[in-house]
Amino acid sequence: MTFIMVEMEIQMVIMPLDISRKLFGKRMKNPLILASGVLGVAKAGLESVAENGAGAVTTKSLSLEPRRGHESPVIIETECGLLNAVGYSNPGIEGVISEFTGWKRDEPLIVSIVGKDEKEFAQLAARLEQNKKTLNCTAIELALSCPHTPGYGVMAGQADPKAAEKITRAVRSETRLPIIAKLSPSVPGEVEAAKLAERAGASAINMGNSLGPGMRIDINRGRPVLGFRMGGMSGPAIRPIAVRCVYDIYDAVNIPVIGTGGVNTGQDAIEMMMAGASFAGVGSAVYFRGPGAFRKIEGEMRAWMKERGYKRLDDLVGVAHE
Amino acid sequence: MQTARVAKVANESSKVKTIELDTRLVCEPGQFLMVWVPGVGERPMSIANNDPLTISVANVGKVSSELHRLKPGSLLSFRGPLGKGFRVQDGWKCILLVGGGYGVAPLYFLAKMATSNNIETLAVVGARTAKDIVYEDKLYLVTAETFVTTDDGSKGAKGNVMVDVGRLLIDKKRKPAAVFACGPERMMLAVARLCLKHEIPCQLSLERYMKCGLGVCGSCDLGGKSVCRDGPVFDALDALAIKEFGEWKRDASGARNRI
């Protein structure tokens, strides 16, 4: 008995706290992934996010043709969150390939794509498959869940189970890259969508996008503030919804889940993992806590785990289900 | 979002109007506002004065043309102050401001603040032609000396601002302790390089296509920094280290275009 106690104590002292992760075989220094749409326009911007502590980064979603996006204001602050309607502005697939070619950092690069239908998604995937070496990207994320762009995402029903399956299958047939299906907290059926996406070849589920659409009206002018009038809600206010979605999906699939939605602190990331996420997506925290958000969140995770004697993230993942 | 009433509208040049509001704002020279025209759009505008809050607007697009239609009594909505402004160090006795085109407006606010802090302030303002010169009269009132250059020689010295800047940087009697520039990026690049050569600290107010103004969307990325949050004022040495500075900008889609 005494012997065992001593052994445990030695283990406590010797085994360092390890919060590194593997994303499809690539090492991440922590489980925090920059969510698509935040600072993902420029390679230099993503390099600086990685430098500032992100475990992996995601590009802004790209489409076949260039898109200017919605009129400004595109992002406004609201109580405990942000409301955004950027509208998938991007220079198009060729522009994005030339922008991100030669990603050199160790942090995995995830390329997010958006299409009007499964054919467009498949075309984009095929282009990425051809360029995956020069891009040095680790995975393709399917943006199925933007709530505020006509013809895309939620507004085109792409986050619905059948559509998610169809799009994932079409992309799977064009690429061997790991596929992350990014689902929506805004429409019912996210658990079924996750199951069908897995069946169609998804390698992971990113459970979370902005919630909505919502609206803010400026009462001095009597007009909606966002250029698109409505937009997706992100930030701490939506976290309970994201946590619940992750919790339900964790039981339903055998592939890893990225929990995205309102992760602002290390404690929030731990909550997401207890719900069943292997990784935590981080977006609006960059606004609330500045470019140093990732380091702060990582520090808080470490401190929390250290205080309670946790050594590995896997000891946290899904514990809320036990 | 804040809303104030327009107190006064004045024509600065054929293209530029100055809009004075019936409010003041605690802010630094070099910071900016996101000015919103409901139903039309929102654009970044530099602050030309804090008390009363003033912006100068060049009529170059759909938002600015709406702003040009404002009359005294109209409502104007904005977010801000946003970003980081010019930093003036204690002990600087003389500073030089270099403005090109509409870039002069935030420098007027800086000149006013510096002069009221007993810093001798010199200004060089340049434009293509005489009728594009803005803020000249106002600058005379808040600087020790203001020099004007025009490309066609229709006012002041003929040529660009660099003629006067080069001369003032080696002026023995009142060598500026620092240089502040705002204007076309090629001009700022030239100013930055000359200041580097003479080892004079220099700050630049840079511009990129801005959307959110909050440091989130990434549209205004400049070498991994957000111009809206980390700038718009940058130290010239930092700017010179960014390879796209003076070379190219992104448009609303994020595509690169040569400057």
Side-chain angles (χ1 to χ4, degrees):
Chain A
M1 184 67 191
T2 319
F3 180 71
I4 292 169
M5 287 283 285
V6 169
E7 194 179 61
M8 273 181 69
E9 271 166 33
I10 289 171
Q11 213 178 28
M12 294 263 291
V13 176
I14 296 170
M15 235 182 80
L17 176 60
D18 180 14
I19 64 163
S20 71
R21 266 274 181 250
K22 280 224 159 121
L23 181 70
F24 313 125
K26 267 206 103 175
R27 187 182 180 275
M28 286 170 60
K29 58 185 183 268
N30 63 43
L32 308 173
I33 302 177
L34 175 74
S36 180
V38 175
L39 297 176
V41 173
K43 184 164 78 169
L46 289 186
E47 283 166 352
S48 121
V49 172
E51 180 76 41
N52 279 319
V57 294
T58 314
T59 66
K60 196 159 166 42
S61 300
L62 65 102
S63 51
L64 280 174
E65 300 300 326
R67 290 177 53 89
R68 294 179 62 86
H70 294 317
E71 184 52 75
S72 297
V74 294
I75 305 179
I76 53 171
E77 201 186 345
T78 181
E79 290 79 2
C80 299
L82 296 174
L83 198 64
N84 94 83
V86 176
Y88 286 138
S89 54
N90 78 91
I93 175 85
E94 301 311 323
V96 171
I97 286 174
S98 85
E99 175 71 38
F100 288 98
T101 284
W103 178 258
K104 286 196 188 70
R105 292 194 59 99
D106 294 334
E107 292 83 359
L109 174 72
I110 300 164
V111 177
S112 174
I113 61 174
V114 59
K116 283 200 167 68
D117 51 30
E118 70 278 13
K119 286 195 193 94
E120 282 196 12
F121 273 100
Q123 266 179 281
L124 290 164
R127 267 315 263 141
L128 292 177
E129 175 68 26
Q130 288 162 1
N131 289 279
K132 66 182 177 190
K133 288 246 162 57
T134 51
L135 278 169
N136 188 23
C137 62
T138 297
I140 296 178
E141 183 164 274
L142 310 180
L144 305 170
S145 45
C146 165
H148 51 73
T149 305
Y152 296 92
V154 168
M155 293 185 86
Q158 292 174 349
D160 297 341
K162 286 284 174 207
E165 180 185 26
K166 197 159 70 175
I167 292 166
T168 307
R169 179 157 292 134
V171 169
R172 182 78 293 162
S173 70
E174 296 293 340
T175 183
R176 300 187 62 172
L177 280 162
I179 297 169
I180 302 167
K182 189 170 180 181
L183 302 177
S184 170
S186 312
V187 290
E190 71 283 350
V191 176
E192 188 62 13
K195 276 197 237 173
L196 295 188
E198 179 183 26
R199 200 170 72 186
S203 325
I205 300 296
N206 186 347
M207 183 55 241
N209 202 317
S210 58
L211 178 70
M215 181 182 281
R216 283 209 77 177
I217 292 167
D218 184 89
I219 59 168
N220 291 313
R221 306 303 298 268
R223 285 292 196 88
V225 181
L226 285 174
F228 187 62
R229 300 188 303 281
M230 52 189 162
M233 178 84 190
S234 63
I238 72 162
R239 199 179 67 252
I241 293 166
V243 167
R244 194 278 303 157
C245 291
V246 168
Y247 185 91
D248 285 347
I249 286 175
Y250 176 74
D251 278 336
V253 298
N254 296 309
I255 48 179
V257 180
I258 303 165
T260 304
V263 171
N264 207 44
T265 66
Q267 286 80 347
D268 298 345
I270 284 163
E271 182 184 8
M272 211 47 114
M273 303 195 103
M274 287 182 167
S278 295
F279 307 89
V282 174
S284 305
V286 170
Y287 169 69
F288 289 106
R289 308 191 71 190
F294 286 90
R295 254 188 234 300
K296 291 175 191 166
I297 294 171
E298 181 186 322
E300 289 153 0
M301 288 184 80
R302 285 181 179 281
W304 189 93
M305 289 172 72
K306 195 176 165 193
E307 205 179 303
R308 286 156 187 82
Y310 285 100
K311 297 290 187 189
R312 291 164 352 111
L313 293 172
D314 283 338
D315 297 338
L316 293 167
V317 174
V319 297
H321 295 256
E322 283 159 14
Chain B
M1 196 70 76
Q2 302 177 59
T3 295
R5 266 185 207 285
V6 173
K8 222 155 83 182
V9 180
N11 290 317
E12 291 296 337
S13 73
S14 54
K15 240 180 160 180
V16 180
K17 280 188 180 184
T18 291
I19 301 169
E20 222 175 85
L21 302 178
D22 67 349
T23 186
R24 46 193 179 141
L25 190 70
V26 178
C27 58
E28 297 163 14
Q31 287 189 298
F32 69 98
L33 306 176
M34 289 297 277
V35 177
W36 178 48
V37 178
V40 180
E42 189 188 48
R43 294 291 180 271
M45 306 268 166
S46 56
I47 298 169
N49 201 355
N50 61 333
D51 185 13
L53 180 59
T54 305
I55 55 171
S56 283
V57 184
N59 191 352
V60 292
K62 60 179 182 177
V63 173
S64 52
S65 74
E66 286 298 317
L67 293 173
H68 269 230
R69 290 163 53 163
L70 297 180
K71 301 272 179 300
S74 305
L75 296 177
L76 188 130
S77 301
F78 61 90
R79 294 187 285 151
L82 300 169
K84 296 194 173 66
F86 295 109
R87 291 161 298 273
V88 177
Q89 276 180 25
D90 288 341
W92 283 350
K93 289 199 171 63
C94 175
I95 60 172
L96 171 63
L97 316 184
V98 185
Y102 338 122
V104 180
L107 296 178
Y108 166 73
F109 181 17
L110 176 61
K112 198 189 85 166
M113 301 294 276
T115 300
S116 71
N117 286 315
N118 293 319
I119 297 168
E120 185 178 21
T121 305
L122 309 173
V124 179
V125 299
R128 271 192 209 111
T129 183
K131 69 174 177 39
D132 293 337
I133 293 281
V134 294
Y135 273 76
E136 184 194 356
D137 298 346
K138 293 191 186 80
L139 279 171
Y140 282 132
L141 300 175
V142 293
T143 57
E145 225 170 329
T146 292
F147 305 92
V148 173
T149 67
T150 50
D151 295 348
D152 63 0
S154 53
K155 192 166 202 180
K158 184 173 176 173
N160 65 29
V161 291
M162 296 313 291
V163 183
D164 280 325
V165 174
R167 179 174 58 79
L168 291 165
L169 288 191
I170 52 170
D171 191 318
K172 292 217 172 64
K173 273 185 288 183
R174 50 179 184 194
K175 186 177 166 176
V179 175
F180 300 84
C182 183
E185 196 151 309
R186 287 282 180 180
M187 179 205 89
M188 291 194 282
L189 179 65
V191 172
R193 283 181 176 156
L194 195 63
C195 287
L196 176 67
K197 192 177 143 197
H198 292 288
E199 296 180 346
I200 295 174
C202 174
Q203 294 169 30
L204 313 170
S205 176
L206 302 182
E207 199 175 22
R208 283 296 181 272
Y209 198 101
M210 254 180 221
K211 289 194 174 180
C212 76
L214 304 171
V216 176
C217 75
S219 296
C220 64
D221 183 277
L222 180 68
K225 300 242 194 286
S226 293
V227 171
C228 71
R229 183 164 171 160
D230 303 316
V233 175
F234 288 88
D235 192 276
L237 294 177
D238 294 335
L240 286 170
I242 299 170
K243 64 174 188 285
E244 66 205 69
F245 170 56
E247 293 292 324
W248 48 266
K249 290 186 175 194
R250 290 169 202 281
D251 64 15
S253 78
R256 297 173 181 201
N257 296 299
R258 288 248 146 234
I259 288 174

